[in-house]
Amino acid sequence: MASGDESPIFEDDESPPDSLVKMTDLVAVWDVALSDGVHRIEFEHGTTSGKRVVYVDGKEEIRKEWMFKLVGKETFCVGAAKTKATINIDAVSGFAYEYTLEINGKSLKKYMENRSKTTSTWVLHLDGEDLRVVLEKDTMDVWCNGKKMETAGEFVDDGTETHFSVGNHDCYIKAVSSGKRREGIIHSLIVDNREIPEILE
């Protein structure tokens, strides 16, 4: 082969590795924050082949080949709590498509707005590890990096404390009344007697 010739990436009898073939029809990616973590949902839609593939956190959940109907929906579960998710495929014009994600029957935007009212989330670095702690306000369940924590509730003078441990660290979530009806109850995470600021997801 002359030095000016371009050599092919693959010989004629070879095909590209799966990692290069995978996700060639990727049309949508969503990051969904649930109590057990932030999950990445990826959707492939082959508009010529009718292929539909759904990946959750890089793992293939649904694969359908040769679908003649290019619009419709794909429903699957996400996360430890098996939260219902649906990808809607709608034709916009000609061969253009719109992809929307619903979580528990609500648009992703509505779901996240509602979730910000029903959960509190804190992110901290402890013992060389990044931690994401989530309180589900309706059930008082506490999640840390995808695991539901063993907790013990306790009434105190100005509210309640929900105690749990992370490694050798004593943690609790303190719930106190704001004194204002619109604000309701304020939840604070205390780790080793230090308050951790809440983040908004």
Side-chain angles (χ1 to χ4, degrees), residues 40-53:
R40 173 154 285 197
I41 297 171
E42 297 164 301
F43 183 57
E44 287 184 42
H45 188 217
T47 55
T48 53
S49 66
K51 174 180 80 170
R52 296 181 191 177
V53 185

Side-chain angles (χ1 to χ4, degrees), residues 43-101:
F43 183 57
E44 287 184 42
H45 188 217
T47 55
T48 53
S49 66
K51 174 180 80 170
R52 296 181 191 177
V53 185
V54 176
Y55 297 93
V56 177
D57 298 327
K59 182 178 171 269
E60 188 177 295
E61 292 294 321
I62 295 175
R63 175 177 288 274
K64 293 182 180 173
E65 304 281 352
W66 303 108
M67 302 275 298
F68 293 107
K69 190 173 179 190
L70 294 176
V71 295
K73 23 178 102 188
E74 294 299 333
T75 300
F76 53 97
C77 293
V78 180
K82 302 283 184 213
T83 304
K84 180 182 166 193
T86 302
I87 296 173
N88 296 303
I89 308 154
D90 297 304
V92 180
S93 64
F95 289 101
Y97 297 90
E98 179 179 76
Y99 307 93
T100 54
L101 179 66

Side-chain angles (χ1 to χ4, degrees), residues 102-186:
E102 291 179 359
I103 304 292
N104 280 342
K106 295 183 178 102
S107 72
L108 181 59
K109 183 178 184 216
K110 274 271 185 240
Y111 177 80
M112 295 311 288
E113 285 171 1
N114 187 50
R115 186 164 169 71
S116 69
K117 296 173 191 164
T118 61
T119 62
S120 291
T121 304
W122 299 269
V123 174
L124 63 146
H125 194 76
L126 207 57
D127 297 335
E129 186 181 1
D130 288 327
L131 301 176
R132 180 175 176 270
V133 176
V134 178
L135 168 69
E136 293 180 351
K137 296 176 189 176
D138 52 350
T139 61
M140 294 305 286
D141 287 339
V142 177
W143 293 75
C144 182
N145 284 8
K147 292 184 193 136
K148 195 168 167 184
M149 305 301 289
E150 270 309 308
T151 61
E154 178 183 342
F155 288 100
V156 292
D157 288 341
D158 54 351
T160 63
E161 293 178 355
T162 304
H163 292 262
F164 61 100
S165 294
V166 175
N168 296 327
H169 300 274
D170 292 326
C171 310
Y172 65 93
I173 296 173
K174 187 170 185 86
V176 295
S177 172
S178 65
K180 298 176 185 150
R181 196 165 175 212
R182 287 182 103 19
E183 285 180 36
I185 296 173
I186 298 171

